[in-house]
PDB file of all heavy atoms in Angstrom:
ATOM      1  N   LEU A  76     101.632 121.298  99.447  1.00 98.00           N
ATOM      2  CA  LEU A  76     102.662 121.020  98.462  1.00 98.00           C
ATOM      3  C   LEU A  76     102.343 119.674  97.831  1.00 98.00           C
ATOM      4  O   LEU A  76     102.484 118.633  98.481  1.00 98.00           O
ATOM      5  CB  LEU A  76     104.057 120.998  99.086  1.00 98.00           C
ATOM      6  CG  LEU A  76     105.215 120.812  98.098  1.00 98.00           C
ATOM      7  CD1 LEU A  76     105.354 122.046  97.207  1.00 98.00           C
ATOM      8  CD2 LEU A  76     106.519 120.533  98.830  1.00 98.00           C
ATOM      9  N   GLN A  77     101.885 119.715  96.603  1.00 98.00           N
ATOM     10  CA  GLN A  77     101.634 118.496  95.858  1.00 98.00           C
ATOM     11  C   GLN A  77     102.932 118.066  95.203  1.00 98.00           C
ATOM     12  O   GLN A  77     103.527 118.817  94.436  1.00 98.00           O
ATOM     13  CB  GLN A  77     100.555 118.723  94.802  1.00 98.00           C
ATOM     14  CG  GLN A  77     100.249 117.500  93.952  1.00 98.00           C
ATOM     15  CD  GLN A  77      99.637 116.370  94.745  1.00 98.00           C
ATOM     16  OE1 GLN A  77      98.712 116.604  95.531  1.00 98.00           O
ATOM     17  NE2 GLN A  77     100.140 115.158  94.568  1.00 98.00           N
ATOM     18  N   MET A  78     103.370 116.865  95.503  1.00 98.00           N
ATOM     19  CA  MET A  78     104.627 116.358  94.998  1.00 98.00           C
ATOM     20  C   MET A  78     104.357 115.137  94.136  1.00 98.00           C
ATOM     21  O   MET A  78     103.862 114.117  94.626  1.00 98.00           O
ATOM     22  CB  MET A  78     105.572 116.003  96.143  1.00 98.00           C
ATOM     23  CG  MET A  78     105.809 117.151  97.123  1.00 98.00           C
ATOM     24  SD  MET A  78     107.045 116.750  98.379  1.00 98.00           S
ATOM     25  CE  MET A  78     106.194 115.434  99.248  1.00 98.00           C
ATOM     26  N   ASN A  79     104.677 115.247  92.875  1.00 98.00           N
ATOM     27  CA  ASN A  79     104.498 114.157  91.927  1.00 98.00           C
ATOM     28  C   ASN A  79     105.844 113.703  91.390  1.00 98.00           C
ATOM     29  O   ASN A  79     106.841 114.411  91.476  1.00 98.00           O
ATOM     30  CB  ASN A  79     103.600 114.597  90.769  1.00 98.00           C
ATOM     31  CG  ASN A  79     102.210 114.993  91.204  1.00 98.00           C
ATOM     32  OD1 ASN A  79     101.648 114.421  92.135  1.00 98.00           O
ATOM     33  ND2 ASN A  79     101.634 115.978  90.518  1.00 98.00           N
ATOM     34  N   SER A  80     105.849 112.526  90.823  1.00 98.00           N
ATOM     35  CA  SER A  80     107.062 111.970  90.225  1.00 98.00           C
ATOM     36  C   SER A  80     108.243 112.070  91.181  1.00 98.00           C
ATOM     37  O   SER A  80     109.333 112.525  90.814  1.00 98.00           O
ATOM     38  CB  SER A  80     107.371 112.682  88.902  1.00 98.00           C
ATOM     39  OG  SER A  80     106.295 112.558  87.992  1.00 98.00           O
ATOM     40  N   LEU A  81     108.027 111.635  92.384  1.00 98.00           N
ATOM     41  CA  LEU A  81     109.048 111.772  93.418  1.00 98.00           C
ATOM     42  C   LEU A  81     110.292 110.963  93.096  1.00 98.00           C
ATOM     43  O   LEU A  81     110.213 109.871  92.525  1.00 98.00           O
ATOM     44  CB  LEU A  81     108.486 111.358  94.767  1.00 98.00           C
ATOM     45  CG  LEU A  81     107.572 112.407  95.413  1.00 98.00           C
ATOM     46  CD1 LEU A  81     106.721 111.777  96.497  1.00 98.00           C
ATOM     47  CD2 LEU A  81     108.406 113.553  95.973  1.00 98.00           C
ATOM     48  N   LYS A  82     111.416 111.533  93.472  1.00 98.00           N
ATOM     49  CA  LYS A  82     112.717 110.920  93.258  1.00 98.00           C
ATOM     50  C   LYS A  82     113.403 110.703  94.593  1.00 98.00           C
ATOM     51  O   LYS A  82     113.116 111.402  95.564  1.00 98.00           O
ATOM     52  CB  LYS A  82     113.592 111.830  92.378  1.00 98.00           C
ATOM     53  CG  LYS A  82     112.975 112.200  91.043  1.00 98.00           C
ATOM     54  CD  LYS A  82     113.862 113.201  90.309  1.00 98.00           C
ATOM     55  CE  LYS A  82     113.266 113.596  88.975  1.00 98.00           C
ATOM     56  NZ  LYS A  82     114.117 114.585  88.263  1.00 98.00           N
ATOM     57  N   PRO A  83     114.331 109.757  94.668  1.00 98.00           N
ATOM     58  CA  PRO A  83     115.058 109.547  95.922  1.00 98.00           C
ATOM     59  C   PRO A  83     115.720 110.812  96.454  1.00 98.00           C
ATOM     60  O   PRO A  83     115.793 110.991  97.673  1.00 98.00           O
ATOM     61  CB  PRO A  83     116.095 108.484  95.554  1.00 98.00           C
ATOM     62  CG  PRO A  83     115.438 107.706  94.462  1.00 98.00           C
ATOM     63  CD  PRO A  83     114.675 108.729  93.663  1.00 98.00           C
ATOM     64  N   GLU A  84     116.189 111.673  95.574  1.00 97.00           N
ATOM     65  CA  GLU A  84     116.828 112.901  96.007  1.00 97.00           C
ATOM     66  C   GLU A  84     115.862 113.905  96.617  1.00 97.00           C
ATOM     67  O   GLU A  84     116.281 114.934  97.144  1.00 97.00           O
ATOM     68  CB  GLU A  84     117.605 113.559  94.855  1.00 97.00           C
ATOM     69  CG  GLU A  84     116.804 113.736  93.586  1.00 97.00           C
ATOM     70  CD  GLU A  84     117.050 112.633  92.576  1.00 97.00           C
ATOM     71  OE1 GLU A  84     117.092 111.453  92.984  1.00 97.00           O
ATOM     72  OE2 GLU A  84     117.207 112.945  91.379  1.00 97.00           O
ATOM     73  N   ASP A  85     114.568 113.621  96.550  1.00 98.00           N
ATOM     74  CA  ASP A  85     113.586 114.449  97.232  1.00 98.00           C
ATOM     75  C   ASP A  85     113.488 114.115  98.719  1.00 98.00           C
ATOM     76  O   ASP A  85     112.800 114.814  99.462  1.00 98.00           O
ATOM     77  CB  ASP A  85     112.205 114.285  96.596  1.00 98.00           C
ATOM     78  CG  ASP A  85     112.154 114.806  95.172  1.00 98.00           C
ATOM     79  OD1 ASP A  85     112.741 115.870  94.890  1.00 98.00           O
ATOM     80  OD2 ASP A  85     111.507 114.144  94.336  1.00 98.00           O
ATOM     81  N   THR A  86     114.147 113.064  99.133  1.00 98.00           N
ATOM     82  CA  THR A  86     114.118 112.658 100.530  1.00 98.00           C
ATOM     83  C   THR A  86     114.677 113.763 101.416  1.00 98.00           C
ATOM     84  O   THR A  86     115.798 114.222 101.222  1.00 98.00           O
ATOM     85  CB  THR A  86     114.917 111.369 100.732  1.00 98.00           C
ATOM     86  OG1 THR A  86     114.289 110.302 100.017  1.00 98.00           O
ATOM     87  CG2 THR A  86     114.983 110.997 102.205  1.00 98.00           C
ATOM     88  N   ALA A  87     113.887 114.182 102.379  1.00 98.00           N
ATOM     89  CA  ALA A  87     114.275 115.271 103.268  1.00 98.00           C
ATOM     90  C   ALA A  87     113.165 115.492 104.283  1.00 98.00           C
ATOM     91  O   ALA A  87     112.078 114.928 104.173  1.00 98.00           O
ATOM     92  CB  ALA A  87     114.521 116.559 102.480  1.00 98.00           C
ATOM     93  N   VAL A  88     113.461 116.325 105.260  1.00 98.00           N
ATOM     94  CA  VAL A  88     112.421 116.844 106.124  1.00 98.00           C
ATOM     95  C   VAL A  88     111.892 118.112 105.480  1.00 98.00           C
ATOM     96  O   VAL A  88     112.668 119.012 105.141  1.00 98.00           O
ATOM     97  CB  VAL A  88     112.937 117.142 107.542  1.00 98.00           C
ATOM     98  CG1 VAL A  88     111.834 117.749 108.400  1.00 98.00           C
ATOM     99  CG2 VAL A  88     113.464 115.864 108.186  1.00 98.00           C
ATOM    100  N   TYR A  89     110.608 118.166 105.307  1.00 98.00           N
ATOM    101  CA  TYR A  89     109.977 119.304 104.661  1.00 98.00           C
ATOM    102  C   TYR A  89     109.342 120.210 105.703  1.00 98.00           C
ATOM    103  O   TYR A  89     108.633 119.740 106.595  1.00 98.00           O
ATOM    104  CB  TYR A  89     108.927 118.828 103.652  1.00 98.00           C
ATOM    105  CG  TYR A  89     109.533 118.302 102.384  1.00 98.00           C
ATOM    106  CD1 TYR A  89     110.217 117.090 102.369  1.00 98.00           C
ATOM    107  CD2 TYR A  89     109.455 119.022 101.193  1.00 98.00           C
ATOM    108  CE1 TYR A  89     110.801 116.609 101.208  1.00 98.00           C
ATOM    109  CE2 TYR A  89     110.029 118.546 100.027  1.00 98.00           C
ATOM    110  CZ  TYR A  89     110.699 117.340 100.042  1.00 98.00           C
ATOM    111  OH  TYR A  89     111.271 116.868  98.879  1.00 98.00           O
ATOM    112  N   TYR A  90     109.599 121.499 105.556  1.00 98.00           N
ATOM    113  CA  TYR A  90     109.133 122.488 106.508  1.00 98.00           C
ATOM    114  C   TYR A  90     108.254 123.524 105.840  1.00 98.00           C
ATOM    115  O   TYR A  90     108.574 124.014 104.756  1.00 98.00           O
ATOM    116  CB  TYR A  90     110.307 123.226 107.159  1.00 98.00           C
ATOM    117  CG  TYR A  90     111.237 122.355 107.959  1.00 98.00           C
ATOM    118  CD1 TYR A  90     112.334 121.746 107.366  1.00 98.00           C
ATOM    119  CD2 TYR A  90     111.025 122.150 109.319  1.00 98.00           C
ATOM    120  CE1 TYR A  90     113.197 120.954 108.096  1.00 98.00           C
ATOM    121  CE2 TYR A  90     111.881 121.362 110.056  1.00 98.00           C
ATOM    122  CZ  TYR A  90     112.968 120.766 109.443  1.00 98.00           C
ATOM    123  OH  TYR A  90     113.826 119.988 110.174  1.00 98.00           O
ATOM    124  N   CYS A  91     107.189 123.852 106.491  1.00 98.00           N
ATOM    125  CA  CYS A  91     106.334 124.945 106.057  1.00 98.00           C
ATOM    126  C   CYS A  91     106.854 126.240 106.652  1.00 98.00           C
ATOM    127  O   CYS A  91     107.333 126.271 107.793  1.00 98.00           O
ATOM    128  CB  CYS A  91     104.898 124.680 106.509  1.00 98.00           C
ATOM    129  SG  CYS A  91     103.693 125.898 105.953  1.00 98.00           S
ATOM    130  N   ASN A  92     106.785 127.294 105.886  1.00 97.00           N
ATOM    131  CA  ASN A  92     107.255 128.596 106.331  1.00 97.00           C
ATOM    132  C   ASN A  92     106.254 129.668 105.938  1.00 97.00           C
ATOM    133  O   ASN A  92     105.766 129.693 104.809  1.00 97.00           O
ATOM    134  CB  ASN A  92     108.622 128.904 105.720  1.00 97.00           C
ATOM    135  CG  ASN A  92     109.107 130.309 106.014  1.00 97.00           C
ATOM    136  OD1 ASN A  92     109.045 131.195 105.161  1.00 97.00           O
ATOM    137  ND2 ASN A  92     109.597 130.521 107.225  1.00 97.00           N
ATOM    138  N   VAL A  93     105.965 130.538 106.880  1.00 97.00           N
ATOM    139  CA  VAL A  93     105.062 131.657 106.632  1.00 97.00           C
ATOM    140  C   VAL A  93     105.757 132.936 107.050  1.00 97.00           C
ATOM    141  O   VAL A  93     106.317 133.008 108.145  1.00 97.00           O
ATOM    142  CB  VAL A  93     103.738 131.504 107.408  1.00 97.00           C
ATOM    143  CG1 VAL A  93     102.865 132.736 107.214  1.00 97.00           C
ATOM    144  CG2 VAL A  93     103.000 130.256 106.958  1.00 97.00           C
ATOM    145  N   VAL A  94     105.726 133.916 106.183  1.00 95.00           N
ATOM    146  CA  VAL A  94     106.295 135.219 106.488  1.00 95.00           C
ATOM    147  C   VAL A  94     105.165 136.212 106.665  1.00 95.00           C
ATOM    148  O   VAL A  94     104.344 136.402 105.761  1.00 95.00           O
ATOM    149  CB  VAL A  94     107.257 135.699 105.390  1.00 95.00           C
ATOM    150  CG1 VAL A  94     107.786 137.091 105.730  1.00 95.00           C
ATOM    151  CG2 VAL A  94     108.407 134.722 105.231  1.00 95.00           C
ATOM    152  N   ILE A  95     105.127 136.823 107.835  1.00 93.00           N
ATOM    153  CA  ILE A  95     104.156 137.853 108.141  1.00 93.00           C
ATOM    154  C   ILE A  95     104.934 139.113 108.476  1.00 93.00           C
ATOM    155  O   ILE A  95     105.664 139.145 109.466  1.00 93.00           O
ATOM    156  CB  ILE A  95     103.246 137.446 109.315  1.00 93.00           C
ATOM    157  CG1 ILE A  95     102.544 136.128 108.999  1.00 93.00           C
ATOM    158  CG2 ILE A  95     102.238 138.546 109.614  1.00 93.00           C
ATOM    159  CD1 ILE A  95     101.761 135.563 110.158  1.00 93.00           C
ATOM    160  N   HIS A  96     104.780 140.100 107.646  1.00 89.00           N
ATOM    161  CA  HIS A  96     105.601 141.310 107.719  1.00 89.00           C
ATOM    162  C   HIS A  96     107.059 140.888 107.540  1.00 89.00           C
ATOM    163  O   HIS A  96     107.421 140.398 106.473  1.00 89.00           O
ATOM    164  CB  HIS A  96     105.334 142.064 109.020  1.00 89.00           C
ATOM    165  CG  HIS A  96     103.924 142.525 109.154  1.00 89.00           C
ATOM    166  ND1 HIS A  96     103.203 142.380 110.317  1.00 89.00           N
ATOM    167  CD2 HIS A  96     103.094 143.112 108.263  1.00 89.00           C
ATOM    168  CE1 HIS A  96     101.991 142.866 110.131  1.00 89.00           C
ATOM    169  NE2 HIS A  96     101.897 143.312 108.896  1.00 89.00           N
ATOM    170  N   THR A  97     107.869 141.040 108.554  1.00 90.00           N
ATOM    171  CA  THR A  97     109.266 140.649 108.447  1.00 90.00           C
ATOM    172  C   THR A  97     109.606 139.428 109.290  1.00 90.00           C
ATOM    173  O   THR A  97     110.774 139.046 109.392  1.00 90.00           O
ATOM    174  CB  THR A  97     110.195 141.804 108.843  1.00 90.00           C
ATOM    175  OG1 THR A  97     109.923 142.199 110.193  1.00 90.00           O
ATOM    176  CG2 THR A  97     109.992 142.993 107.914  1.00 90.00           C
ATOM    177  N   SER A  98     108.603 138.808 109.880  1.00 94.00           N
ATOM    178  CA  SER A  98     108.822 137.663 110.746  1.00 94.00           C
ATOM    179  C   SER A  98     108.488 136.366 110.041  1.00 94.00           C
ATOM    180  O   SER A  98     107.443 136.258 109.395  1.00 94.00           O
ATOM    181  CB  SER A  98     107.986 137.787 112.022  1.00 94.00           C
ATOM    182  OG  SER A  98     108.343 138.942 112.754  1.00 94.00           O
ATOM    183  N   GLY A  99     109.381 135.405 110.178  1.00 95.00           N
ATOM    184  CA  GLY A  99     109.165 134.102 109.607  1.00 95.00           C
ATOM    185  C   GLY A  99     108.819 133.078 110.665  1.00 95.00           C
ATOM    186  O   GLY A  99     109.355 133.109 111.773  1.00 95.00           O
ATOM    187  N   TYR A 100     107.926 132.172 110.326  1.00 97.00           N
ATOM    188  CA  TYR A 100     107.485 131.142 111.252  1.00 97.00           C
ATOM    189  C   TYR A 100     107.635 129.785 110.590  1.00 97.00           C
ATOM    190  O   TYR A 100     107.376 129.629 109.391  1.00 97.00           O
ATOM    191  CB  TYR A 100     106.035 131.371 111.669  1.00 97.00           C
ATOM    192  CG  TYR A 100     105.819 132.712 112.334  1.00 97.00           C
ATOM    193  CD1 TYR A 100     105.510 133.828 111.579  1.00 97.00           C
ATOM    194  CD2 TYR A 100     105.945 132.861 113.709  1.00 97.00           C
ATOM    195  CE1 TYR A 100     105.329 135.068 112.170  1.00 97.00           C
ATOM    196  CE2 TYR A 100     105.764 134.091 114.310  1.00 97.00           C
ATOM    197  CZ  TYR A 100     105.456 135.193 113.542  1.00 97.00           C
ATOM    198  OH  TYR A 100     105.283 136.418 114.138  1.00 97.00           O
ATOM    199  N   TRP A 101     108.038 128.820 111.382  1.00 97.00           N
ATOM    200  CA  TRP A 101     108.334 127.485 110.869  1.00 97.00           C
ATOM    201  C   TRP A 101     107.512 126.424 111.565  1.00 97.00           C
ATOM    202  O   TRP A 101     107.216 126.522 112.757  1.00 97.00           O
ATOM    203  CB  TRP A 101     109.813 127.146 111.072  1.00 97.00           C
ATOM    204  CG  TRP A 101     110.746 128.030 110.312  1.00 97.00           C
ATOM    205  CD1 TRP A 101     111.308 129.192 110.742  1.00 97.00           C
ATOM    206  CD2 TRP A 101     111.245 127.811 108.990  1.00 97.00           C
ATOM    207  NE1 TRP A 101     112.116 129.718 109.768  1.00 97.00           N
ATOM    208  CE2 TRP A 101     112.097 128.893 108.682  1.00 97.00           C
ATOM    209  CE3 TRP A 101     111.049 126.813 108.041  1.00 97.00           C
ATOM    210  CZ2 TRP A 101     112.759 128.997 107.465  1.00 97.00           C
ATOM    211  CZ3 TRP A 101     111.702 126.918 106.825  1.00 97.00           C
ATOM    212  CH2 TRP A 101     112.543 127.992 106.552  1.00 97.00           C
TER     213      TRP A 101
END
């Protein structure tokens, strides 16, 4: 995830998610 022009409201914990078939992984 390339993040440019960051703003204070972008502050957060960022999580990667992958969906394989119907299962999600974090």
